[in-house]
Amino acid sequence: VAAVIGGGVIWKRKQWRSLLIAEAIFLVITALILFIRLDRTQISLTEKPMDLGILASLLRADGFPPPDMWLAGEVLPYYYWGALLWTVPLWTSHLPLEFGYNLIVGIIGGMVGSLLWMLGRRAGGSHWSGLLVTFFGLLAGTPDGMRQLFSGKRLGALDYWHSSRQIPDTITEWPLFTAHLGDLHPHLLSMPVACLGLLVAWQAGKKGPNARHMAFLAIIFGVSWAANPWSMPPTLAGIALLLVAGPDRWFWPRGEGRTRWLAIAAVGIGGWLVTAPFHLGFKPFFQGIKTVFAWTDPGHLLLYAGCLLIPAGIAATALLWKLMDAEEVVKRAVILLAGAATLVLAAATGRPTLVFLAVISFVFVLAVLTRFAGVDRPVLALGALGTFLFLVPEVVYVADSYGDAL
């Protein structure tokens, strides 16, 4: 149905070139993921056997919730909707499950890559901006690969595992690592759904949300939530920000903005209702939110996220410069004073990572709420959200049955 509707829209608008580029990006990245996994197609070790078992359980289930593959007579105690989306193509294609499993890994990489290209193209207005977002969003999640190349390693000999464990007792995965490893884990399965939600929300925020937007976003958000409950807060926050960060102004919950804020509530409630059977049957291991007792060293932060946060810091400095309506010498003085104050505060609190991230987030938020942002407001809103997500684990963490180690 979606393909028919999309085909009709493309035929009407005659946007064949954009369609062909998007499809080419999808095919190239899918082929790339499949290629780099040619020597690791075995579905063994890590969580791959469990992921395969969930797919097998869903394919042979007579009803829902599906049966527990470990304990007879019980239901599957896990979030399985991300895998559920792939049962129809697996069943209709009649592919052996082990072949289908590896194809899904590559196809998800292609889907995420092409959706990021669409988001980047919308943000920057060119194909190159789309490719840049695809590169940083999917492939270059950590600068450690560049460090390994400079140390003399060949491109084909990069140690992905080392890059995903750069901080002691900490998992610092990024999308390419997960695709390379081949774990069909919920955080990978939910990525294309979340990216699609952001793309639709961006369009809805530009034109003003209508009933079709809200219905579609509720379905996407609900599936993303059930596919990976951990992604629910940032996905809903991203959709909400794009709905209220209009190209001409920020919409507060009054006057014209009331409809947009009601749309956010409708998406949140509707998303839960869409996947209500899952939520009613699933018992999460959530045991509350606590304040952190250890925080990230700035060096460690740059090791695993420098290629994302360094550009964010540069962008925040440029935004602060443009936000000031003053002479150049005054602007320079203000930026130097702001930098000095940030360093003093970081040293005084003993929490430099928290302070740096808070300052970058504050500048992005300030830019979003001013008239200066213009058509870039949705981009800046997503930048603020991304920086804020790095800030959150410096303040609080989710307690569960695994204890303080996670």
Side-chain angles (χ1 to χ4, degrees), residues 51 70 149 151 163-164 189 192 198 226 269 385 402:
D51 301 329
W70 295 285
L149 287 174
S151 70
S163 298
S164 73
L189 292 164
L198 294 178
I269 297 170
L385 175 62
Y402 289 99

Side-chain angles (χ1 to χ4, degrees), residues 25-69:
I25 290 170
F26 166 75
L27 292 172
V28 167
I29 295 180
T30 299
L32 173 65
I33 300 299
L34 293 174
F35 176 76
I36 65 175
R37 295 201 67 251
L38 283 177
D39 64 341
R40 53 182 63 246
T41 56
Q42 307 92 330
I43 307 173
S44 60
L45 304 177
T46 64
E47 295 176 346
K48 291 192 280 286
M50 181 193 76
D51 301 329
L52 183 71
I54 290 174
L55 280 170
S57 297
L58 290 169
L59 286 168
R60 63 171 177 258
D62 294 324
F64 290 93
D68 189 341
M69 60 184 176

Side-chain angles (χ1 to χ4, degrees), residues 9-319:
V9 172
I10 291 167
W11 179 265
K12 183 179 178 181
R13 298 181 180 177
K14 307 296 183 184
Q15 294 178 329
W16 300 110
R17 185 167 179 266
S18 295
L19 173 66
L20 291 174
I21 292 174
E23 291 299 322
I25 290 170
F26 166 75
L27 292 172
V28 167
I29 295 180
T30 299
L32 173 65
I33 300 299
L34 293 174
F35 176 76
I36 65 175
R37 295 201 67 251
L38 283 177
D39 64 341
R40 53 182 63 246
T41 56
Q42 307 92 330
I43 307 173
S44 60
L45 304 177
T46 64
E47 295 176 346
K48 291 192 280 286
M50 181 193 76
D51 301 329
L52 183 71
I54 290 174
L55 280 170
S57 297
L58 290 169
L59 286 168
R60 63 171 177 258
D62 294 324
F64 290 93
D68 189 341
M69 60 184 176
W70 295 285
L71 192 60
E74 299 293 328
V75 298
L76 187 63
Y78 203 61
Y79 23 103
Y80 54 83
W81 270 68
L84 181 63
L85 298 175
W86 294 96
T87 55
V88 174
L90 281 171
W91 182 77
T92 54
S93 66
H94 298 289
L95 274 174
L97 186 53
E98 61 272 22
F99 294 168
Y101 181 102
N102 284 297
L103 280 175
I104 290 170
V105 175
I107 291 171
I108 287 177
M111 292 172 69
V112 172
S114 57
L115 286 166
L116 288 174
W117 173 80
M118 294 176 204
L119 284 166
R121 188 173 182 272
R122 182 172 287 268
S126 71
H127 299 302
W128 293 110
S129 62
L131 291 173
L132 193 65
V133 170
T134 299
F135 176 73
F136 279 104
L138 178 65
L139 305 177
T142 174
D144 188 61
M146 190 65 68
R147 181 196 63 77
Q148 292 187 42
L149 287 174
F150 285 150
S151 70
K153 280 198 173 184
R154 293 180 295 103
L155 183 63
L158 293 179
D159 187 349
Y160 290 75
W161 187 266
H162 178 273
S163 298
S164 73
R165 301 296 188 275
Q166 295 176 72
I167 302 175
D169 302 316
T170 306
I171 299 172
T172 54
E173 293 186 13
W174 74 104
L176 181 61
F177 168 82
T178 307
H180 178 259
L181 184 66
D183 270 355
L184 278 181
H185 206 261
H187 64 264
L188 178 65
L189 292 164
S190 65
M191 281 182 195
V193 186
C195 289
L196 179 60
L198 294 178
L199 194 61
V200 175
W202 199 319
Q203 180 67 13
K206 179 182 177 182
K207 294 190 171 183
N210 55 38
R212 286 182 301 172
H213 289 140
M214 288 187 287
F216 196 63
L217 283 171
I219 293 171
I220 296 173
F221 171 63
V223 172
S224 175
W225 187 352
N228 181 19
W230 292 96
S231 73
M232 184 275 284
T235 302
L236 182 59
I239 290 172
L241 285 171
L242 291 173
L243 288 178
V244 297
D248 53 344
R249 64 189 176 93
W250 172 268
F251 288 89
W252 294 104
R254 59 176 180 267
E256 293 180 39
R258 189 177 292 113
T259 303
R260 293 175 179 255
W261 285 81
L262 288 173
I264 295 170
V267 169
I269 297 170
W272 188 92
L273 292 173
V274 164
T275 52
F278 165 78
H279 296 295
L280 293 172
F282 178 64
K283 296 179 180 179
F285 299 102
F286 178 78
Q287 295 179 357
I289 294 177
K290 299 181 180 180
T291 55
V292 300
F293 50 86
W295 35 88
T296 310
D297 178 85
H300 286 157
L301 182 71
L302 292 176
L303 264 179
Y304 82 86
C307 60
L308 301 177
L309 290 175
I310 290 175
I314 295 171
T317 305
L319 285 171

